[in-house]
Amino acid sequence: MPTWSTQQLTEYFIAVNAAPTEDAAVALAVERAAEIVEAEVGVVVLAGRPHGAWGLGRGAPAPPLLTLPAAGAVVRLPGLGDVHAVPSQLGSGLAGTLVVGRLDEPFGPEERQTLQGMAQMLGAAMRGARALAAEQTLRAEREREARLVETLLAIQRGISARRPLQETLDAITGGAAELLGAEVRLVLAGDDTGCPAADAAMRSDELYVDEDADGLTVIAVPVLAAGETAGALVARLSDAAGYHADQVEAFAQQAGLALTDARTVEEVHEAHHDHVTGLPNRALFLKAFHDRDRAGVLFIDLDRFKAVNDSLGHDAGDKLLAAVAGRIRGCVRVGDTVARLGGDEFAVLVGDAARDSAVATGERIIAAVREPFRIEGRSVYIGASIGVALPATAGSAPDELLSCADLAMYRAKQDGPGRVVVYEPAMHAAALHYLSLRADLQRALAGGEFALQYQPLVRLDNGTVVGVEALLRWNSPERGVVAPGEFLPIAEESGLIGDIGQWVLASAARQVAAWRRRRPGLTLNVNISGLELVRPGFVEDVTRTLAAAALPTSAVTLELTESVLMSDPKPAVLALNRLRARGVQLSVDDFGTGYSSLAYLRDLPVDELKVDRAFIARTQLTGRDMALVSTIMELGHILGLRVVAEGIENQAQLDAVQRLGCRLGQGFHLHRPLDPAAIPPLLEAPPLYRAA
């Protein structure tokens, strides 16, 4: 009978764990196990397939070795004869066995125990190797993801700063090539491409994947500029398994943004100073770092500037930028450098990199920009969001500091305008989410991912449905249901809100026009963005859309928040008066939590007040709540306005607003938002309750 020792098992375990790969560990384990018990053959069986066969020649192991019973068996093997074969389980988490076979002499209990121990040692080594491989793969993916974020943000900064188009396109193809380890080129429509993949992607407007004559994987993604196919981004990779189509698409989207921007915005001024503000431009700003070893950066982005620029015109916009530049200069110290990076973005290079000092400078700038500007005889209200990057957390390289300050600024905008946020390394992941969400949002409208639900507006004296409010919903194939509060700010910032708002109005108008055949008096409420309201052509688009749907303008009420109406009141009043002249009505949403000014209620063509749900949707209404709601309702009635109580969620709240004389209401206690198919039966149903 063969002999074995603890030392042999120890050496076996060390050798198996030292193997460089899982396959090498299996082969070594089979050979050592067979030697220790003086067996002629061995193999590891995983999922019915042989691995690391030993002593069986060049052919595949005989089928009997792959399907042994747990107790083992005597099997006949070609060229060997009858072999006593024993399987030993590899342990939990691995459905496999270590099989050894010996001629003539069966295995004793002690040998079987030894083999089982070796099998479990092999199983532990295999599990460890797989865990290590998984960890290495995950680490590589995370590193790749971080590099993707940094590369895309660098490209975004180039586009925002209006760098020369070719420089930006070279950065896109170069960044993609470095990240993917591939040959990447941009093929523009109309070029004599000689690239079948690019032609196919542009014809189909879809991702194209194929293999070329050299056996390389070719990926081509269409590049869209201003909604039209402008070219294709083509990548050739030697490692087909290692490519990620979403990364190629991300770079293609950046190329589309750069081409779109180049078509609509003049090339950045090549001099060292911006001609509008007189400030240093980006190039000169970056040069200023050379003499500042411990400088910090403030990245400033103006809030609501686009609305002013669109409503008052570019000349007024330039005057506003010049005025902003003057206020920023008045907030910094001698020796600090203020620059205009492009568009409505500014930066400040502060010599003192102390956190408190940099934040204090940012807060002074926000307070100064918040004060009204007098532009062409009008009072204009804007704001600013500021990101701060300091050497202690963001490094000292100029581009790196500026990039990190940009990231912090995006976080400031997400937290709410008028904030100062200091960069933290964790913001990279948030930036990737933002870029990904914006890219998905660009595809959502064309892909039919948006839908509408309708929340009924109810007469409170008898429960009759008199109108519906259209509510936008986004059900993304990748993300599931995305909350409006998450995607609508990005839609406004990216300029997509106009197309989305037009789709909402057109879809809801057609739907309500159809329902009015059953309920002629049914009305429609639609929320609109302040950016939509002051967009040139908005009034004409609204009236044209309603006419196409055969929905009377008098049946439509547009809802805006108080903050939107006050942020840029004169252009808003102009647009609203033009809409009012066409019969469209206005509702002030969330009334009572913003400015709640009698002056703007007097000046604006307001038809309806919606009492903010914060006053009503409480478990128990207090006397103070009742007094506030009563005051708002009295104010509305004195001014001849409809008053709607929002957020009615239980019977006690319904009873309370009824006692106060409120005629209209919304809330989950009355009706939740409903899919379109549920509205017709509701219109045919009897009222919720009888009149008191």
Side-chain angles (χ1 to χ4, degrees):
M1 179 180 291
T3 60
W4 56 276
S5 67
T6 302
Q7 181 179 355
Q8 286 177 303
L9 286 180
T10 302
E11 292 173 352
Y12 167 88
F13 182 68
I14 292 172
V16 169
N17 274 279
T21 65
E22 181 179 319
D23 289 342
V26 169
L28 180 63
V30 171
E31 181 180 354
R32 291 288 180 89
E35 288 176 351
I36 289 175
V37 297
E38 297 181 358
E40 282 75 21
V41 296
V43 68
V44 166
V45 180
L46 294 171
R49 299 177 63 86
H51 297 267
W54 185 81
L56 292 166
R58 293 181 177 274
L65 290 182
L66 306 182
T67 57
L68 288 170
V74 177
V75 299
R76 179 170 293 276
L77 299 181
L80 289 176
D82 291 338
V83 172
H84 297 271
V86 176
S88 300
Q89 298 295 321
L90 297 179
S92 62
L94 283 173
T97 57
L98 168 65
V99 178
V100 295
R102 189 165 65 195
L103 292 169
D104 303 328
E105 185 178 3
F107 294 98
E110 209 172 335
E111 290 176 309
R112 286 174 178 263
Q113 185 176 357
T114 300
L115 288 170
Q116 185 58 55
M118 287 188 287
Q120 291 177 348
M121 291 178 183
L122 172 59
M126 292 171 66
R127 287 191 294 273
R130 292 181 180 185
L132 179 60
E135 181 182 348
Q136 291 171 338
T137 300
L138 180 60
R139 186 183 303 118
E141 285 298 320
R142 285 176 176 168
E143 291 174 355
R144 189 186 194 95
E145 186 176 272
R147 288 168 53 207
L148 174 65
V149 172
E150 293 172 0
T151 304
L152 293 179
L153 285 172
I155 294 168
Q156 281 283 314
R157 289 195 302 274
I159 296 173
S160 297
R162 308 291 188 260
R163 288 183 175 173
L165 176 61
Q166 191 56 52
E167 179 183 329
T168 300
L169 296 180
D170 289 344
I172 290 169
T173 55
E178 181 180 355
L179 186 73
L180 299 170
E183 175 188 325
V184 179
R185 66 171 172 147
L186 176 64
V187 177
L188 296 179
D191 290 351
D192 185 10
T193 66
C195 179
D199 293 338
M202 285 188 280
R203 279 196 307 271
S204 65
D205 275 342
E206 294 180 351
L207 172 73
Y208 177 86
V209 181
D210 200 1
E211 186 174 294
D212 67 8
D214 298 325
L216 299 179
T217 298
V218 180
I219 309 130
V221 179
V223 173
L224 303 180
E228 299 178 357
T229 302
L233 191 67
V234 183
R236 297 175 72 240
L237 306 99
S238 58
D239 180 11
Y243 97 88
H244 294 285
D246 56 343
Q247 293 179 343
V248 183
E249 289 178 326
F251 284 103
Q253 288 160 5
Q254 298 302 310
L257 290 173
L259 290 170
T260 300
D261 193 67
R263 290 179 180 182
T264 57
V265 181
E266 291 182 357
E267 292 285 343
V268 65
H269 194 274
E270 296 298 328
H272 286 300
H273 287 81
D274 170 56
H275 72 280
V276 174
T277 63
L279 295 175
N281 65 7
R282 183 189 182 91
L284 188 57
F285 180 74
L286 292 175
K287 288 181 181 179
F289 275 90
H290 295 313
D291 299 325
R292 314 280 183 89
D293 293 335
R294 291 189 49 77
V297 170
L298 277 65
F299 195 110
I300 306 162
D301 186 88
L302 302 183
D303 301 323
R304 301 187 297 277
F305 173 78
K306 187 177 185 301
V308 175
N309 204 44
D310 289 345
S311 60
L312 300 184
H314 293 294
D315 289 343
D318 286 349
K319 291 176 183 177
L320 178 57
L321 289 172
V324 169
R327 290 195 186 176
I328 294 175
R329 278 196 297 256
C331 295
V332 302
R333 297 165 304 180
V334 176
D336 292 342
T337 300
V338 181
R340 181 188 174 202
L341 302 180
D344 59 352
E345 295 175 341
F346 295 81
V348 178
L349 183 66
V350 293
D352 181 0
R355 181 188 181 103
D356 291 347
S357 175
V359 169
T361 300
E363 289 175 344
R364 286 197 301 272
I365 293 171
I366 286 175
V369 173
R370 187 183 293 127
E371 293 297 317
F373 292 84
R374 197 69 180 168
I375 304 294
E376 296 185 348
R378 302 185 180 193
S379 293
V380 175
Y381 296 83
I382 61 171
S385 299
I386 299 179
V388 177
L390 305 172
T393 54
S396 58
D399 279 331
E400 190 175 8
L401 272 168
L402 199 57
S403 170
C404 293
D406 191 4
L407 274 177
M409 183 275 295
Y410 274 115
R411 173 58 64 84
K413 278 189 171 294
Q414 291 170 354
D415 291 347
R419 296 176 185 268
V420 180
V421 171
V422 180
Y423 168 80
E424 298 293 343
M427 291 179 185
H428 274 287
L432 178 63
H433 174 73
Y434 171 86
L435 289 171
S436 173
L437 187 62
R438 188 170 77 171
D440 287 351
L441 191 58
Q442 287 175 317
R443 296 191 295 268
L445 186 58
E449 297 173 18
F450 287 124
L452 292 179
Q453 286 189 317
Y454 297 87
Q455 185 166 30
L457 181 68
V458 176
R459 273 186 56 177
L460 297 184
D461 60 350
N462 63 8
T464 302
V465 174
V466 295
V468 292
E469 178 181 354
L471 302 173
L472 180 62
R473 301 291 184 253
W474 178 19
N475 190 2
S476 166
E478 294 81 17
R479 302 172 183 274
V481 177
V482 185
E486 184 176 2
F487 71 82
L488 285 178
I490 296 176
E492 290 194 354
E493 183 180 334
S494 63
L496 292 170
I497 193 64
D499 291 338
I500 294 174
Q502 181 68 18
W503 177 86
V504 170
L505 182 62
S507 301
R510 287 194 300 269
Q511 184 68 82
V512 172
W515 290 335
R516 280 170 62 89
R517 298 187 189 104
R518 304 185 184 192
R519 181 70 66 79
L522 192 70
T523 61
L524 169 65
N525 281 40
V526 177
N527 291 276
I528 63 170
S529 158
L531 293 177
E532 292 180 86
L533 182 63
V534 298
R535 175 177 59 81
F538 174 72
V539 174
E540 289 72 19
D541 287 344
V542 169
T543 52
R544 190 182 306 115
T545 299
L546 298 181
L551 183 65
T553 54
S554 59
V556 177
T557 300
L558 302 181
E559 295 189 15
L560 298 101
T561 61
E562 295 180 70
S563 59
V564 165
L565 294 171
M566 289 300 294
S567 63
D568 202 5
K570 289 196 174 180
V573 171
L574 179 63
L576 291 171
N577 279 321
R578 293 179 62 209
L579 285 166
R580 185 71 174 282
R582 289 163 170 79
V584 179
Q585 300 188 55
L586 169 69
S587 174
V588 181
D589 198 11
D590 300 335
F591 186 82
T593 59
Y595 296 90
S596 302
S597 167
L598 287 173
Y600 86 76
L601 284 179
R602 178 197 63 200
D603 295 336
L604 288 174
V606 177
D607 300 282
E608 178 181 278
L609 297 182
K610 300 189 82 171
V611 183
D612 189 87
R613 67 190 318 275
F615 295 120
I616 297 170
R618 299 174 183 264
T619 304
Q620 186 172 10
L621 290 173
T622 65
R624 181 180 177 83
D625 295 329
M626 295 288 286
L628 286 170
V629 174
S630 177
T631 300
I632 293 172
M633 290 182 180
E634 279 190 51
L635 172 64
H637 293 152
I638 291 171
L639 295 174
L641 307 178
R642 297 190 304 272
V643 179
V644 180
E646 293 189 292
I648 300 173
E649 297 184 355
N650 58 46
Q651 186 63 43
Q653 294 164 359
L654 175 59
D655 293 341
V657 295
Q658 283 177 321
R659 285 196 301 272
L660 292 174
C662 188
R663 298 186 182 92
L664 298 170
Q666 284 179 289
F668 284 7
H669 181 65
L670 301 172
H671 294 287
R672 291 177 175 271
L674 301 170
D675 291 333
I679 298 295
L682 183 65
L683 298 178
E684 300 293 339
L688 287 174
Y689 44 83
R690 294 186 180 277

